[in-house]
Amino acid sequence: MQKDIYVVGMMVDERGSKAPDVQQVITRYGDKILCRNGIPSPSRERGIITLTMEATPEDYQRMEQDLKGLKGVTVESIHFSQPESFQLCENR
């Protein structure tokens, strides 16, 4: 099954109280995440997390629905469709 690349941005309001719920969703899809970056400033009420994923469209849609189901979490993404012949990384 073809996997595509998704760059997912999340803005998390009330970061301190929402972080465990967001982390639970991210962990559930952890085997599809290639890179994670976060801005966890303790002095701010909002946090920003970016993920780069390699996933099937169905897996991405499930994760997006799970995240959007959390109050105070905004999700935006960029989708890069890759042909099956494209290798993200190749060991030689």
Side-chain angles (χ1 to χ4, degrees), residues 24-77:
Q24 186 176 25
V25 173
I26 291 172
T27 299
R28 196 173 320 136
Y29 297 92
D31 62 329
K32 293 150 187 49
I33 296 171
L34 302 171
C35 180
R36 174 185 173 160
N37 184 34
I39 304 173
S41 176
S43 65
R44 298 176 191 226
E45 287 294 313
R46 283 189 169 156
I48 298 173
I49 299 171
T50 57
L51 305 174
T52 303
M53 304 176 63
E54 183 178 31
T56 64
E58 295 80 16
D59 285 336
Y60 168 73
Q61 290 167 1
R62 278 193 294 271
M63 187 193 76
E64 181 184 51
Q65 288 174 349
D66 290 350
L67 288 167
K68 286 184 173 182
L70 300 174
K71 186 178 177 187
V73 178
T74 304
V75 181
E76 297 289 337
S77 66

Side-chain angles (χ1 to χ4, degrees), residues 1-7 29-34 52-62 78-89:
M1 182 174 282
Q2 180 175 330
K3 293 182 180 179
D4 294 336
I5 301 298
Y6 298 86
V7 179
Y29 297 92
D31 62 329
K32 293 150 187 49
I33 296 171
L34 302 171
T52 303
M53 304 176 63
E54 183 178 31
T56 64
E58 295 80 16
D59 285 336
Y60 168 73
Q61 290 167 1
R62 278 193 294 271
I78 300 170
H79 173 219
F80 297 99
S81 181
Q82 63 180 11
E84 289 187 35
S85 63
F86 177 73
Q87 295 278 331
L88 186 62
C89 295

